[in-house]
Amino acid sequence: MYDIKSLKAEEFISDEEIRATLAYADEHKSDMALIDEILNKARQCKGLTHREASVLLACEDEGKIREMYDLAEDIKKQFYGNRIVMFAPLYLSNYCVNGCVYCPYHLKNKCIPRKKLTQEEIKREVIALQDMGHKRLAIEAGEDPVNNPIEYILESINTIYSIKHKNGAIRRVNVNIAATTVENYKKLADAGIGTYILFQETYHKESYEKLHPTGPKHDYCYHTEAMDRAMEGGIDDVGLGVLFGLELYRYECAGLLMHAEHLEAVHGVGPHTISVPRIKKAQDIDPSAFDNSISDEIFAKICALIRISVPYTGMIISTRESKEVREKVLRLGVSQISGASRTSVGGYAEAEPEDESSAQFDVSDNRTLDEVVNWLMRLGYIPSFCTACYREGRTGDRFMDLCKSKQIQNCCHPNALMTLKEYLMDYASLDTRVIGTDLILREILNIPNEKVRKLVIQHLKDIRNGQRDFRF
Ligand code: SAM
């Protein structure tokens, strides 16, 4: 039975509804009148239902796909301008009691070195990240109640926020840890986290159970209902994601959008972000063993579809993807990217010998943060180190209301310019600083409100004179 408002996973992610949706999409994939109608609806920037989105995803007409890409680009510009938010993952521990067959942290893997950072080691990692210029982290840990209990995660968050090295500071810590209890989500909310991120991996229950044969993560319903518990615990911003390659992508996209619709229907606010990871090679993991891998073309189509289906939800792409793929999907709606990521435990402060790697997966984009920032600006984007929204209480429905009315640009654009200026002053190479200074000068003119523009100009001068952390 399909019930969007039910709190039971199998009812709000109804397999029956997904199958009916995919059949409907197959039936209508060449119905140009319907496809035009759906594209016209998407043009109003109010989003699409999972059924409408599934029809577009099934459509193979090249002209219509191009229209969809153009629309994704246009919607992205309307809601996010040319800003791209920067972040880095920080791996705290790879101890894990689960048996996820695609992840090298799985319990049976006796070859991967197990590591857990001490608070002193976390300090070293954070200083290394601050020295690159990062202000926003996503902390990552395997699931292990003995080695990585919630107290360890909370202490680590506290440590991260407390470190002020030179002009550096981590101003937002997002958290990607296993599904947990309402009580623990309350503790995370009290610790001042940004977004709680949890990838569904796959929405297909039967496959999910096979892919997670052992450990607490085996419980599909507990995992799928985690975002409801997180919101009940007071976390306003949650991030969804699917690990593409595990199941059929059309099934996953329908499930993902149904999950977003469910959160909006029950909590009045949809997901803050959606991530689109694809399976990568890792120690003991061969991606070719998973036969649902998707091509770069399909990947781009999925990104464009998400952008037009949930226009006000941020989209995240990690260094799992190459520079070339990232470049393509930035245009189609991605709003956040990681830079200079290490997926090993302790990999920022100290490089690991290759044969002793604790990494979760191989990264495809190995550039430094300065190279990524430089590249983004050359492509016409503003790399943003802004973390102001959640620090100013603009989370959950308050953020969504502003975003839906496109007002968010009035704070995000100036904040992006000011945090970029901080980056240029404190961390950038000479070439990046030259390009960035020029870009900021041009972008100031795009601030329509004269009062705000004058204030930004003053703050930019203050930043040049050593002051930090201005925000709207
Ligand atoms: N332990 C937490 C959990 O259970 O959700 C945190 C997850 S892990 C540190 C972050 C994510 O990496 C996983 O949710 C999974 O989607 C992804 N991942 C695992 N193995 C991967 C691989 N071989 N390639 C790409 N991504 C992978």
Side-chain angles (χ1 to χ4, degrees):
M1 190 190 89
Y2 175 47
D3 179 359
I4 192 174
K5 284 200 167 181
S6 164
L7 293 178
K8 291 193 176 137
E10 286 167 279
E11 291 178 359
F12 68 81
I13 306 289
S14 148
D15 175 65
E16 198 185 319
E17 170 60 16
I18 298 183
R19 285 177 199 280
T21 297
L22 299 185
Y24 173 84
D26 277 333
E27 211 179 297
H28 292 91
K29 66 180 185 186
S30 306
D31 180 344
M32 293 306 151
L34 177 66
I35 286 166
D36 282 339
E37 204 180 291
I38 297 172
L39 285 170
N40 280 335
K41 182 180 171 196
R43 232 165 245 125
Q44 292 162 31
C45 302
K46 298 261 189 298
L48 296 176
T49 65
H50 61 275
R51 281 220 173 190
E52 292 161 341
S54 296
V55 173
L56 291 189
L57 194 56
C59 169
E60 284 161 3
D61 182 90
E62 276 183 23
K64 295 296 164 202
I65 295 173
R66 238 190 335 273
E67 251 184 74
M68 187 167 105
Y69 283 13
D70 290 345
L71 184 54
E73 197 173 346
D74 183 49
I75 290 178
K76 184 190 167 178
K77 278 189 194 137
Q78 289 188 49
F79 285 88
Y80 299 90
N82 52 351
R83 297 179 303 282
I84 301 290
V85 169
M86 308 302 302
F87 79 100
L90 171 58
Y91 282 75
L92 298 179
S93 166
N94 65 359
Y95 282 92
C96 194
V97 297
N98 286 315
C100 318
V101 303
Y102 49 82
C103 178
Y105 291 0
H106 68 82
L107 188 62
K108 280 195 189 149
N109 188 355
K110 303 294 176 209
C111 297
I112 194 164
R114 299 288 170 173
K115 291 187 187 172
K116 171 188 168 181
L117 297 179
T118 62
Q119 299 306 307
E120 214 32 61
E121 287 167 334
I122 291 175
K123 271 189 199 160
R124 285 207 287 276
E125 288 289 275
V126 171
I127 287 173
L129 284 154
Q130 288 185 6
D131 276 344
M132 285 184 220
H134 278 296
K135 299 281 187 275
R136 175 189 294 242
L137 301 184
I139 56 170
E140 313 270 343
E143 179 166 15
D144 186 328
V146 174
N147 285 298
N148 317 329
I150 193 71
E151 292 71 26
Y152 169 69
I153 304 292
L154 295 169
E155 189 187 1
S156 304
I157 294 169
N158 201 23
T159 300
I160 294 167
Y161 277 136
S162 73
I163 300 161
K164 304 279 181 284
H165 170 70
K166 298 183 183 163
N167 280 336
I170 299 303
R171 298 172 180 161
R172 178 174 178 134
V173 177
N174 296 334
V175 173
N176 183 359
I177 59 165
T180 185
T181 59
V182 174
E183 197 179 292
N184 285 345
Y185 286 126
K186 275 191 186 134
K187 291 179 186 168
L188 288 170
D190 290 344
I193 69 161
T195 312
Y196 171 65
I197 301 164
L198 181 69
F199 299 159
Q200 177 63 30
E201 320 301 5
T202 173
Y203 283 95
H204 192 285
K205 184 168 183 277
E206 218 180 296
S207 300
Y208 180 96
E209 287 168 351
K210 282 191 193 134
L211 291 158
H212 306 94
T214 54
K217 197 166 171 176
H218 176 73
D219 187 337
Y220 174 86
C221 294
Y222 189 74
H223 187 82
T224 312
E225 293 158 10
M227 294 315 192
D228 294 292
R229 290 195 301 281
M231 286 184 151
E232 195 189 328
I235 295 178
D236 286 341
D237 293 337
V238 299
L240 302 180
V242 154
L243 185 56
F244 284 101
L246 299 180
E247 246 302 335
L248 295 172
Y249 70 91
R250 288 177 53 207
Y251 191 100
E252 303 293 26
C253 286
L256 183 66
L257 293 174
M258 282 163 74
H259 201 170
E261 288 163 10
H262 163 75
L263 294 177
E264 175 112 36
V266 174
H267 306 280
V269 49
H272 189 68
T273 55
I274 289 180
S275 300
V276 286
R278 288 195 279 187
I279 301 180
K280 293 282 304 175
K281 185 177 172 311
Q283 198 265 339
D284 198 39
I285 305 295
D286 173 8
S288 67
F290 300 88
D291 42 16
N292 291 307
S293 69
I294 51 172
S295 66
D296 290 350
E297 285 66 37
I298 293 294
F299 185 65
K301 196 174 173 188
I302 291 170
C303 291
L305 184 84
I306 293 175
R307 177 45 56 243
I308 68 173
S309 301
V310 280
Y312 35 83
T313 296
M315 209 191 317
I316 301 179
I317 195 149
S318 73
T319 54
R320 289 177 183 85
E321 300 300 334
S322 65
K323 175 185 168 200
E324 290 69 30
V325 171
R326 275 151 70 99
E327 184 160 331
K328 186 165 182 185
V329 294
L330 275 172
R331 200 170 64 79
L332 298 175
V334 165
S335 56
Q336 273 192 43
I337 66 168
S338 47
S341 303
R342 298 274 180 283
T343 67
S344 50
V345 181
Y348 292 107
E350 222 171 292
E352 286 178 326
E354 222 170 271
D355 55 347
E356 282 171 38
S357 174
S358 63
Q360 196 186 23
F361 51 81
D362 290 357
V363 303
S364 297
D365 185 343
N366 284 298
R367 290 172 296 167
T368 63
L369 185 61
D370 190 72
E371 285 167 340
V372 174
V373 167
N374 191 305
W375 163 76
L376 284 173
M377 295 191 299
R378 285 179 189 276
L379 293 175
Y381 297 106
I382 308 172
S384 172
F385 293 87
C386 178
T387 54
C389 273
Y390 108 104
R391 295 163 81 214
E392 293 292 319
R394 290 191 294 266
T395 57
D397 51 356
R398 289 172 298 283
F399 173 84
M400 285 300 171
D401 287 348
L402 280 167
C403 190
K404 284 177 185 172
S405 61
K406 296 178 196 156
Q407 289 304 310
I408 205 82
Q409 294 201 43
N410 292 333
C411 6
C412 294
H413 186 66
N415 287 338
L417 296 182
M418 293 188 298
T419 55
L420 176 61
K421 180 73 178 178
E422 288 184 346
Y423 175 83
L424 298 178
M425 296 301 299
D426 292 339
Y427 308 106
S429 65
L430 184 59
D431 182 47
T432 302
R433 195 177 303 167
V434 170
I435 299 172
T437 305
D438 192 46
L439 177 116
I440 291 173
L441 282 175
R442 273 183 280 124
E443 287 289 342
I444 291 172
L445 303 174
N446 291 333
I447 301 175
N449 183 311
E450 199 188 325
K451 218 168 123 195
V452 175
R453 192 164 61 238
K454 281 191 175 149
L455 205 53
V456 172
I457 291 170
Q458 182 55 49
H459 288 337
L460 290 169
K461 278 188 195 147
D462 294 337
I463 293 168
R464 213 175 47 217
N465 293 330
Q467 290 189 55
R468 294 290 174 270
D469 204 9
F470 295 101
R471 58 183 186 262
F472 286 94

